Amino acid sequence: MKVVKIDEPGKVSVSEIKVPQKQAGEAFIGVKRIGLCGTDLRSYTGQNPIVRYPIIFGHEIGGELLLETEIKGTKYPEGTVVTVNPYTNCGKCPSCRRGRAHACQFNETLGNQRDGAAFEFMTIPAEKVYPLPGLSLDDAVCVEPLSVGFHASRRGEIAKDDRVVVMGTGMIGLGAVIGAAARGAEVIAVDLDDEKLEIARLCGAAHVVNTSKVKLEEEVAKLTGGEGADVVIEAIGLPGTYRAAIDIVAFTGRVVYIGYAKEDVPFTTKYFVAKELDIRGSRNAAPEDFLAVIETLKTGKVPVEKIITHRFPIDEAGAAFKRWADSPGNVIKMILEV
Ligand SMILES: [Zn+2]
Ligand SMILES: [Zn+2]
């Protein structure tokens, strides 16, 4: 079967390996869609500090069961559309002990700290599989990345009628927009790109702010009666947006950071205290976030066909990475098709 590897920064190869043997308790999956994630892009560009080359990337999967499979006590027939939970956990660290295994201290995500799923067939413990009867392969490949944004909206304890700013409308930000809107919030989506903001609107944003044209603080003040946002979700990872989140959040509001900032960020910390803020990180997604995304996808209201902006056949994986690295601007979700 075909396998895609990032051999070293800037070099992607497609080669042949043996089809894996299914063991007891495993599902045997025909991989049909592989989503490319920001971490995969950083592995390609050489900016992912934890990756060891060569790496088989891939942790966003849309596939089909190739055999009838029992998953958590229910039998699903061959051909059932599925996705997988790509995280591992140790069971012993503080996160695992607190029931937050998705943020395990020793997590190894497929395709990142260990080999992933960029190949034609995969075997994986059946309990890691989410069966998705009624959903499409395109829906399936979007479940994990949308779950990461949904998780951030849960970390923000977003409630009905909260005014929520989501900074960044890439895949993760869109997941946060959809998650916040599903919780009944009034969502203000922020980006530099009008096309992405239009998609954010389709995902449930009530307002959009293009900060290449208007000032963020003024717009948020206007839209919140001068109070600031109840919750700000930062899904960009730049020092400027990390600081802006503190400026635009209301007194006693909540700030959730999902964007990985590569540089140190200096803060005016008096606002942490004066506003009595809850400032939280958000990492990966928990099973309940996956299930919430799956339920939301079943409504048919998530514009998956707009969120998947680029498609390449698996043989052209190298061209896909090059395209994304060369002009990342309008890429929301790029996928490989098998
Ligand atoms: Zn990802
Ligand atoms: Zn752990």
Side-chain angles (χ1 to χ4, degrees):
M1 66 172 183
K2 281 176 190 163
V3 61
V4 188
K5 286 183 198 161
I6 303 174
D7 297 311
E8 56 185 76
K11 189 162 173 281
V12 174
S13 67
V14 181
S15 53
E16 289 281 330
I17 53 169
K18 272 210 285 202
V19 174
Q21 285 291 314
K22 177 182 123 54
Q23 309 293 322
E26 287 187 332
F28 188 37
I29 296 170
V31 177
K32 301 291 180 191
R33 305 276 188 279
I34 305 153
L36 273 55
C37 175
T39 51
D40 300 324
L41 181 66
R42 285 191 287 282
S43 300
Y44 173 78
T45 57
Q47 292 163 308
N48 181 352
I50 54 178
V51 77
R52 278 188 298 269
Y53 301 99
I55 181 95
I56 302 173
F57 71 95
H59 61 271
E60 301 172 3
I61 308 298
E64 287 170 0
L65 294 177
L66 296 174
L67 300 165
E68 184 188 70
T69 307
E70 186 171 320
I71 301 168
K72 293 176 187 131
T74 306
K75 283 200 167 125
Y76 291 90
E78 176 191 341
T80 301
V81 172
V82 296
T83 192
V84 303
N85 181 326
Y87 317 126
T88 62
N89 65 288
C90 73
K92 294 180 191 144
C93 75
S95 299
C96 287
R97 291 203 309 270
R98 279 194 265 270
R100 286 159 62 183
H102 61 278
C104 173
Q105 189 173 352
F106 305 103
N107 168 61
E108 294 190 341
T109 299
L110 289 182
N112 201 358
Q113 292 96 332
R114 66 198 172 109
D115 276 342
F119 36 49
E120 289 176 276
F121 305 100
M122 76 183 295
T123 55
I124 190 162
E127 77 261 17
K128 293 265 180 196
V129 176
Y130 289 97
L132 308 170
L135 296 186
S136 68
L137 290 165
D138 285 351
D139 292 331
V141 75
C142 290
V143 169
E144 189 272 343
L146 289 176
S147 299
V148 175
F150 262 60
H151 183 62
S153 69
R154 192 155 61 82
R155 292 283 292 148
E157 293 179 50
I158 291 170
K160 197 172 166 338
D161 300 328
D162 274 347
R163 288 182 292 218
V164 177
V165 171
V166 177
M167 304 173 83
T169 58
M171 189 67 178
I172 304 303
L174 286 183
V177 169
I178 298 166
R183 288 167 168 263
E186 183 180 333
V187 180
I188 303 165
V190 178
D191 205 288
L192 297 166
D193 184 298
D194 279 331
E195 268 175 63
K196 280 185 178 167
L197 287 170
E198 248 347 278
I199 296 170
R201 240 189 235 287
L202 297 176
C203 289
H207 314 280
V208 299
V209 175
N210 185 329
T211 45
S212 71
K213 299 176 183 168
V214 293
K215 282 219 163 70
L216 177 66
E217 274 146 67
E218 284 172 16
E219 288 304 304
V220 172
K222 250 189 253 170
L223 291 168
T224 59
E227 291 184 351
D230 300 301
V231 182
V232 179
I233 296 178
E234 201 281 353
I236 298 174
L238 293 174
T241 46
Y242 255 69
R243 280 196 302 268
I246 302 297
D247 295 333
I248 62 175
V249 72
F251 275 68
T252 61
R254 288 150 343 255
V255 176
V256 180
Y257 291 115
I258 342 177
Y260 261 106
K262 283 163 230 87
E263 302 154 61
D264 289 347
V265 184
F267 281 105
T268 307
T269 55
K270 68 180 179 191
Y271 296 119
F272 297 180
V273 179
K275 291 187 175 184
E276 198 175 51
L277 297 178
D278 284 314
I279 300 172
R280 295 177 172 185
S282 182
R283 178 181 178 196
N284 293 342
E288 62 192 286
D289 303 307
F290 278 75
L291 296 175
V293 167
I294 292 164
E295 285 311 307
T296 307
L297 284 167
K298 282 184 186 162
T299 66
K301 288 187 191 154
V302 179
V304 166
E305 72 292 345
K306 295 255 170 33
I307 291 173
I308 298 175
T309 48
H310 297 76
R311 294 168 188 270
F312 287 81
I314 188 169
D315 292 303
E316 293 173 27
F321 275 109
K322 188 171 183 328
R323 163 68 183 75
W324 195 7
D326 288 350
S327 62
N330 66 348
V331 175
I332 295 179
K333 180 49 63 188
M334 184 176 273
I335 62 167
L336 302 179
E337 293 185 330
V338 183

